[in-house]
Amino acid sequence: LSRCSKLCYAIGGAPNQVAGSAASFFLQIYLLDIAHITPFHASLVLFIGKASGAVTDPVAGFFISKSRWTKIGRLMPWVLACTPFTIVSYFFMWYLPPFGSGRVAWYLTFHCLFQALTTLFQVPYSALTMFLSTDQKERDSATAYRMTMEVLGTLIGAALQGQIVASAHVSPHCTVNPSGNTTDSWHDTPSVPDPADLLSHQVYMIAAGVIAGVYLLGIVVLFLGVKERDDPYALNSDRAIPFCKGLALTMKHGPYVKLTASFLLISTAVQLEQGNFVLFCTHAAGLRNHFQYLVVTILVSAAVSVPFWQKFLQRFGKKCAACGISWMIPFAVMLVTIPNLTLAYFVAFISGLSIAASLLLPWSMLPDVVDNFRLQNPHGKGHETIFYSSYVFFTKMSAGIGLGISAAGLEFAGYKPGLCRQSDDVILALKLLIGAVPAILILLGLFILLFYPITEESRKETKLALEELR
């Protein structure tokens, strides 16, 4: 693989991360403070949206596995076809409709569409790794390029969104503290947006338009710079594994089950950090005017550390590199207990290192699992999309459950949009969602990963056996 091909492949995955990052960091606070829907309804929008994306994964895997080879490949047509619809659904996800009673349905509809369409992109795009090269080192290198660009995409998305919409959440925006109001009128969404909401909404629409343009540019680069190859191991006589049978086989494949179980817990922890970090800085840590810079610090740290983690796992092994994921735990706990500005930036830097490891490792380890499965099932083909679609299904579903529970927890604690000072119960809930809960999930995930059976030695044996098969 040429560096140009790897770079174009990596750039193709960045737009999805740009849009996903903006939604992960800012959608919850947008729904609560700009759209003025209740935390319970926000939890429904977040959970059902993620769930719709998760349910789309096996469906996408089923139809993609049935696809025939075309002049531009078997996976590339799916990537291209869903892009324009993804851009439109993303744009309307940040639109403030001029009515109040149907806002929840509006955001639920477009969030579900966006999540489902990004799945139709993510499944074929991630499975494309297996059709770039047959060499493990080349695939690992392409994955490292991809993760670097995806983290940069996450950085660009959060930075663009943060800088553009910061004016909607800084202190002057919170001019009146209605804490003396003991009524529950805040539950009733106003039928006509007030001028402050309209101004805040306009900056969100500008951010959505900019990110939609980035999305389109990345897909063009992917299409022009990457050539998909057919399955190099399959014989003409080999038949595609039926989707349901392949799904049953993957669910029985030990390395895959352990890898998926481990990283669905870890990815849920990262999603909780992302989804609640802006709320925590705004309401619990007194860092309302710094949250956009802290988010940028996290993502810059993650972006620059991906090459380090790639070198680390090449030298010490992929399981050993997983220890870096745990680095964020003690520092996040320190930030929760000692909310200090200098400490916050240090925590942001360390968290970025851990997030980079959590992003790189599963996508670097999944091709090894697919190779291991190929060796045990040498006369079947088309199983790659089954592995990737079901993996994304589990991680999205777990993240959706986590975000839904966190938003519902804020509802239970008494979160009220528009208040400059939330109650002590809300502050405690935010501290738990940033500190204790992610720490427990990460530790459980790393414990499961201890039993992951594929080592560096077994990877070499699998490589030799597959070369012999080829």
Side-chain angles (χ1 to χ4, degrees), residues 437-459:
V437 177
I440 293 170
L441 292 174
I442 289 172
L443 291 174
L444 287 174
L446 292 176
F447 177 74
I448 294 172
L449 197 62
L450 291 175
F451 302 96
Y452 176 70
I454 298 179
T455 63
E456 295 306 303
E457 287 299 319
S458 66
R459 283 182 68 233

Side-chain angles (χ1 to χ4, degrees), residues 296-445:
V296 169
T297 302
I298 292 173
L299 297 174
V300 167
S301 171
V304 300
S305 62
V306 169
F308 161 76
W309 286 118
Q310 176 65 13
K311 294 291 185 182
F312 187 96
L313 64 86
Q314 285 179 344
R315 181 165 184 178
F316 299 103
K318 297 178 181 180
K319 286 180 68 173
C320 185
C323 66
I325 300 172
S326 64
W327 291 357
M328 74 168 73
I329 295 175
F331 298 102
V333 172
M334 287 173 63
L335 177 62
V336 167
T337 54
I338 313 170
N340 175 273
L341 181 59
T342 304
L343 179 62
Y345 277 99
F346 184 68
V347 169
F349 175 77
I350 298 297
S351 296
L353 299 178
S354 296
I355 289 172
S358 70
L359 290 174
L360 176 64
L361 282 172
W363 296 111
S364 181
M365 297 165 86
L366 196 53
D368 301 334
V369 173
V370 176
D371 280 346
N372 185 272
F373 181 85
R374 158 71 75 180
L375 196 60
Q376 297 181 21
N377 301 270
H379 296 294
K381 62 180 181 179
H383 57 276
E384 294 86 2
T385 53
I386 300 174
F387 273 98
Y388 281 86
S389 63
S390 53
Y391 174 78
V392 178
F393 166 79
F394 287 117
T395 53
K396 278 189 177 179
M397 183 61 76
S398 64
I401 292 172
L403 289 174
I405 291 174
S406 73
L410 293 177
E411 166 88 4
F412 180 77
Y415 182 92
K416 294 187 178 183
L419 293 184
C420 289
R421 179 75 168 85
Q422 296 290 336
S423 68
D424 291 340
D425 289 340
V426 172
I427 293 173
L428 176 61
L430 287 170
K431 288 182 176 180
L432 290 175
L433 291 171
I434 286 292
V437 177
I440 293 170
L441 292 174
I442 289 172
L443 291 174
L444 287 174

Side-chain angles (χ1 to χ4, degrees), residues 5-13 125-126 128-129 132 142 146 222 226:
S5 295
K6 294 177 187 177
L7 188 59
C8 290
Y9 171 66
I11 291 173
Y125 172 76
S126 55
L128 191 60
T129 308
L132 297 176
R146 172 192 160 196
L222 173 67
V226 174

